[in-house]
Each structure stands twice: as structure tokens, then as C-alpha cells.
Amino acid sequence: MIPVTVLTGFLGAGKTTLLKRILREPHAGRIAVIENELGEESIDSEILVQERAESIVEMANGCVCCTVRGDLIRVLGELAERRAAGGVRFDRVIIETTGVAAPGPVAQTFLAADGGAGVGRHYRLDAVITLVDAKHADAQLDAFPEAQEQVGFADRILVSKADLVDAPRLAALRERLAEMNPRAPITEVHFGAVPIEHLLDIGGFRPDALPVPAPGVMAHRRQSARDEVSAFVFRAARPFDASRLEAFLGAMVEVYGSDLLRYKGVLHLAGNPDRVLFQGVGTVMSGSLGRAWTAGEPRTSVLVFIGRRLPQDLFIEGLEQCLEPQ
């Protein structure tokens, strides 16, 4: 399975600068880059061997670059076919989205049950990396829902241009980002300089990858008056009734799926000796068995929801009703 990293962030946040840095740094294997044709700057000028005369070309360092001129699934399928035939060589894929797009549809391409035209047979989604421009972030987050969604989807948040703002403003931005997405570690990055291991092979879409706030953090967070996107965490020591929980989550995804960005959990189900892991993007949800609970280990369920103006009290009340009686 070829790992895929989605690189997103609003216009001018530094996605192309970071991408160029990645392509020049020592890294494991060759990278295929898929650029959105609306990107504000092409990576061609300094890296490509030749003028772009076709949709897929080889770079000077052996990596591959193509532009999405049509459907993403078609482009991924074409890359996989050419790789299998020996026409191109690559070990991972980085998709750079346009600055005014949310990464949700891209993520759903990989999480859909059928994988979409064979995508699921060749690729696995590793993580969403979001760049945030410290100087312009507040204005962008206030004005553009897409900028908020990019933060909400992130497995890692990289703050660029931090040197252009003072310390109190930077601290306030970090607090705002953490309120919107408590799952994603926040790192400052200067002109794309970030260790490669912070970007690749993160495993953000592994069901068991569940970084959440410390236990002392309250069960759900106060919704900021200016942000549509926010997160809340639900924890429970009592086991869930599997049938009630499945019905409840299915109903909530059906009603609020368009506003759910990322959600995942580690579940303790009554009568099940193993963890049950689930995650979803929008209306696409999947689950699997995790490792067995060990003797003496606290069997605690943890669920994280990130979305737009979600009815947190309704979610929490419903989840509590799905727990086994005390």
C-alpha cells in the first residue's frame, strides 16, 4: 500500500515552499506529487527536468509530478498503472490541494469502502498536513470556512511566518488552533524547514492513532463565537452497548455528516475482549478490532469529534444513553 500525504493550507501559507523543501531533503524513496492546477505557484521551475508536455513527468531527483486536470481517482489510477508497468517509480504520494479547498473530498476518496476504481487496492491515506500563515491566519479563519476546515482535518498543523508576529499574538493563535483541533500537534516552521519525520509516515488515519487532550480536559470544549469548527472529547469508563451505539452513531452521521470533519474513537464494548476502533470523514465511517484489553488495564472509551457547529450536548447525551447501566 502506497502511503499518501495530503498537504493543505490557505493561499499563501507556504505549501509549495514546504513541498520544494521535502523534495530536496533526504527521504525514504521516491515521491509522486499531485498538484492541484489552481495552486498559486508551480514546483516545475527549479525541479523538473523538462517542460511539462504531459500530465505526468519525472523530476531531476527521480520523483514524479503530475497536475490534476480531471478526476483525482483517475490520476491516482493512472499513476498506479504506470508504476505497475515499470513506466514510473515512486514509493509515496503527496497531494497538494488548492488553497481555497477543504481536504474532505480528497480524504473520502481513500476512506470509501470500495476505494474508488481500485484506489483502495494501491493506496492508503497516511495524514493531512495543514499549513497556517501566522500573519494572516486570524483574518483568514474569520472570513473563510475553508480555512477553518483545513485546520479541523489536520493530523499536523504547521504555523508558518511566525517570525512576523509578536509572542502574544502567536500564543493566541496557537490557543485558537488547539480549540478547533485538539488532536493535531502544532509546530512552527520557517521557510519549510521541518524534520521529514514530522510529515511522513505519521499514521494519522490508522484507527488506533488517537492523540487526545489530557484526561483533565473537560469532556467538551466551549464553542468560540467566531469559529464554526470546534472539537469535543467524550470519555467513559462504563462499556457501550454495541447495538445502541451503532444505531446512534449511524443516525448522527446521517443527520450531521456534512458538518462532521474528522471523528474517531477507541471503544470499550460490553462483552468484547478487544478494543473496537472507528474513524470517519463526513459520511464515510469505518471500524475495526484493535488489540485485546489486558488484565488490570482501565477499559476507557475515548471519542473525538471535530466539526462545524456540532450540537455537542446532543452528541454527549446520546452517547451516555448508549452506555451500559451502572
Side-chain angles (χ1 to χ4, degrees):
M1 299 288 283
I2 303 165
V4 178
T5 300
V6 177
L7 181 60
T8 188
F10 209 72
L11 296 169
K15 297 187 297 298
T16 302
T17 299
L18 176 61
L19 190 52
K20 288 181 178 180
R21 184 76 175 239
I22 293 172
L23 292 174
R24 291 192 177 93
E25 291 290 315
H27 48 72
R30 299 186 177 195
I31 298 174
V33 177
I34 298 178
E35 285 192 288
N36 189 299
E37 61 184 356
L38 298 179
E40 54 268 40
E41 180 187 355
S42 173
I43 65 172
D44 299 10
S45 58
E46 300 178 33
I47 300 176
L48 293 182
V49 174
Q50 60 192 43
E51 293 296 323
R52 177 172 291 165
E54 55 180 325
S55 62
I56 300 176
V57 293
E58 188 169 344
M59 300 180 190
N61 60 358
C63 294
V64 175
C65 181
C66 63
T67 298
V68 177
R69 293 188 173 92
D71 184 65
L72 175 62
I73 292 176
R74 178 187 59 79
V75 172
L76 289 165
E78 182 182 352
L79 276 171
E81 290 175 2
R82 293 184 61 168
R83 181 177 184 261
V88 295
R89 292 174 54 199
F90 62 92
D91 304 291
R92 64 178 68 249
V93 174
I94 296 178
I95 299 174
E96 179 190 3
T97 68
T98 178
V100 292
V106 175
Q108 286 183 325
T109 297
F110 297 93
L111 291 184
D114 61 0
V119 169
R121 294 197 302 270
H122 301 289
Y123 303 94
R124 63 173 176 82
L125 184 57
D126 180 59
V128 174
I129 309 294
T130 298
L131 278 104
V132 175
D133 176 346
K135 183 173 178 60
H136 302 100
D138 282 325
Q140 291 170 346
L141 291 170
D142 288 346
F144 299 99
E146 297 86 356
Q148 293 193 24
E149 291 186 30
Q150 290 165 359
V151 171
F153 271 105
D155 296 289
R156 294 283 190 278
I157 298 174
L158 305 180
V159 178
S160 63
K161 307 179 186 178
D163 57 320
L164 301 182
V165 299
D166 58 28
R169 182 173 170 187
L170 180 60
L173 174 61
R174 291 178 67 99
E175 182 179 355
R176 182 178 185 181
L177 296 175
E179 286 287 332
M180 296 170 67
N181 184 345
R183 292 183 57 253
I186 301 171
T187 304
E188 294 166 30
V189 55
H190 185 65
F191 287 101
V194 59
I196 200 75
E197 60 268 20
H198 289 187
L199 306 174
L200 305 179
D201 298 322
I202 292 171
F205 279 82
R206 290 200 325 265
D208 58 341
L210 191 69
V212 296
V217 176
M218 61 184 181
H220 62 282
R221 291 169 170 261
R222 176 182 53 83
Q223 171 71 59
S224 169
R226 57 178 176 170
D227 291 330
E228 289 190 351
V229 172
S230 65
F232 62 94
V233 182
F234 180 87
R235 291 181 176 85
R238 283 185 287 150
F240 280 108
D241 177 276
S243 59
R244 290 204 299 267
L245 180 63
E246 180 180 7
F248 172 74
L249 289 176
M252 298 305 277
V253 168
E254 183 175 353
V255 175
Y256 298 104
S258 60
D259 292 319
L260 279 164
L261 304 182
R262 294 283 299 273
Y263 49 101
K264 57 174 26 183
V266 177
L267 306 175
H268 172 207
L269 300 185
N272 195 324
D274 301 321
R275 289 169 167 77
V276 173
L277 314 173
F278 89 100
Q279 67 173 320
V281 172
T283 59
V284 180
M285 181 170 57
S286 63
S288 62
L289 288 178
R291 67 174 176 85
W293 298 101
T294 59
E297 179 183 15
R299 301 189 177 190
T300 302
S301 297
V302 182
L303 300 90
V304 181
F305 297 88
I306 302 175
R308 289 185 297 263
R309 298 288 176 183
L310 296 177
Q312 298 178 8
D313 292 340
L314 180 62
F315 270 79
I316 290 171
E317 181 181 353
L319 290 169
E320 289 175 343
Q321 293 177 358
C322 295
L323 296 172
E324 289 283 283
Q326 290 183 339

